[in-house]
Amino acid sequence: MADPMRIRAQSSGGNAVVRVLMSHEMESGQRRDSAGKLVPAWHIMEVTASHNGKTVMTAEWGAAVAKNPFLQFTVKGAKAGDKITINWKDNKGDSRTDEATIS
Amino acid sequence: MKNRRDMLQRSAVVAGLLASTGLFPQFAHAAFNKNAFDAKNVADSVKAYGAGALTESKDITITGPDIAENGAVVPLGASTALAGVKQLLILVEKNPSVLVAMFNVTEAIDANVTTRAKMGQSSDVYAVAIMNDGRALFAKKEVKVTLGGCGG
Amino acid sequence: MYKKTLWGAAACALLLASAAAQQPKTASQGIDEYRAMLQDGNPADLFEAKGEGLWKQKRGPKNATLEQCDLGKGPGVFKGVFVELPRYFPDTKRVQDLESRLLTCMSTLQGFDEAELAKTAFGRGEQNNLTALATWIAAESKGMKFNLSQSHAQEKVFYEVGKRLFFQRAGSHDFSCASCHGEEGKRIRLQDLPRLTQNPGDGVGFAAWPAYRVSNGQMWGMQQRLNDCYRQQRFPYPGFASDATIALGLYLGVNSKGAVSIAPAIKR
Amino acid sequence: MNKSIKKWAVTAAAGLLLAGCASLPSSAELDSLTQTIVKASFRTEGQALVERVTAVDDTNRLCSQADVAGKPLDEKVAKAIEESNFKAIKWPADGKFLGDWKQGEAIAQSGRGLTWTDPAKSANGGNCYNCHKMAPQEISFGTLGPSLYQYGKLRGVSDPNSPASKPIVEYTWGKIWNSKAYNACSNMPRAGHAGILTEDQVRHIVALLLDPNSPVNK
């Protein structure tokens, strides 16, 4: 199973800035292994962000997002103590959900 | 910086739990837009999301470095203060597949997202905002990718 | 944070040489900007979290945690140990760096096979776990100043050996560590090279590792950093936690006395 | 090597210390201990044979010693090193010093070859841009060595095949082939002498530096 995400969510001026690091290879599908064979693409495809259980953003990602992806966005009207939940799914069917409390 | 770790919120693991309780119902219907990610140029990729012709706009901002020390990790951001944004796209013109990421924007977030892309070579990078009315507004800038290290 | 002073002279040369006249920004300023953009959101955080978990987790043939591991300040103490390593350990009668010492603890406390683990390739299996542990231990000394001991005779001997290794010209290209790190203000390609015969400054050189390498998306401890230096010097392969790598690390660490540790850093 | 030496360098250090009370071993003892530690710590991997550190030549040994001492080599020793390296230079068998600058540029750009991860049969690069500024189009160049931009032009070479250019052409070949022939403890690798570059590759680098059509001389 994939390693946990690191989610930082900080309130500022009535909003909350959310920064997420995800542990994922994000294999491009362009790279060849030592035997010269193409390594198949393996990447996060879908990301969902929720604020206190309500979806605030969804995203589609390709293989060109960098390894161990970083994501930053700002949730309007979110305050300290609120919950931010992030979920990702990759093209191999693996997924991960982590939650953080806004500070 | 010194208290960075303290500021970090420990991510509570609730894997599978939320997903199975149906807190993410849209995932059941979410259709990854393969055509947009297979597209070899910016126009085709944007078209795959049903948007109209591309128009350059000062209201859209693309953020990224002028020079990336390494193409493996290039921070790129797309933002706009305009209302009525449906989607934000980040694209790299000279990548084998141009689209890096697409974000569905809701009223609950700022139309301002940042992620990090892989770039195979120096290229123009694009931020595209697809508006609720179907317009596709964009901004672009050049990012030079240098050869880092000793090349070994 | 990155030192910008070294870039001054080069910046002028590049400004003249660069065709990017439409923007009054030099290549080196551009790269500084790029580096600054990456500071916020260092994937080393992922390894740090993993390492903390591993420290407290019962693992290995003995199904034990590492919480009784003595990294130099007594069993279980992890705050501040990193900036005093490598040091002499009376129980093993050896000078050890952080990774060598973690190897000892994983062997004595958890029952892992030390030789087997030392042979494992970087980034694989228990080596990957060891790197995560080193990342977390290092992070627990973030902001502290390096202050390696030179009181034990063995520590003094290792400094002298490390110095000789630093200046050792060998391999197919006649390179020594000093070929690149012996002078102030030099670059290889566009990378500025810290002078490591003295304190190169806060968060530079020894004070930046373990670090996340964006070029390959890997987390590297000091052992891997030195291993890759030797690879690029065209030397043969230095054993993991071998006396040569520990002595060289100790030499760099003693020279860095007073430098503030920023580890785990993020690097090209 | 017998096993007792290889066993643990630390034991050797401890032995030295016991013999010499608490004071530091002599410089010669430390040199010897360092060699013991090197032998115990490094191993052959891929094409990077352990002999690369256990069997260094006098040039490297003497220059390393001078570096540790922080003093330049004795003048006579330096001269002797330069002479022996000069004698070892292999001049082009057919008298042709210049190749194709375009191939030279590719070789100058490449930093590959001879590491334990490089396949033994792959072509080696020259590593030139790692340390030198050369063609102005390449902004990613190092500063460990002097700038070589306009190398030929600044030396007045308009026709590298003319008799007047001969001394510069020969020096350029010799310097690339064996840098230590001209500066005993130069930081520059001995590209030809150490088998890093082939004779043909050296020709291409010489052309990159001296051909008036090369971007280096624009």
Side-chain angles (χ1 to χ4, degrees), chain B residues 1 4-5 8 10 64-70 72-75 116 144 146-150 152, chain C residues 23 25 27 30-31 34-35 37-38 40-42 45 48 52 140 188-189 191 214-215 231-232 268:
Chain B
M1 286 299 271
R4 176 110 169 264
R5 271 179 43 73
L8 283 163
R10 281 300 128 85
D66 295 347
I67 299 185
E69 200 173 8
N70 201 295
V73 181
V74 184
R116 293 170 183 171
K144 281 205 177 78
T146 64
L147 173 68
C150 323
Chain C
Q23 294 202 331
K25 204 181 284 169
I31 283 180
Y34 166 76
R35 289 172 174 168
M37 283 179 182
L38 290 179
D40 199 14
N42 180 354
D45 284 356
E48 196 184 315
E52 183 175 10
E140 289 294 327
I188 188 159
R189 288 280 184 170
Q191 268 67 53
V214 299
S215 48
R231 186 184 66 82
Q232 299 204 49
R268 172 188 66 79

Side-chain angles (χ1 to χ4, degrees), chain C residues 2 5 13-14 22 38 56 72 81 84 98 108 110-111 142 149 181 186 221 224 227 247 262:
Chain C
Y2 284 96
T5 45
L14 278 162
Q22 74 269 23
L38 290 179
K56 298 169 184 164
V81 292
E84 295 182 14
L98 173 58
T108 56
Q110 298 183 310
K142 204 170 196 170
S149 160
H181 296 288
K186 297 287 184 183
Q224 193 170 1
N227 179 282
I262 60 159

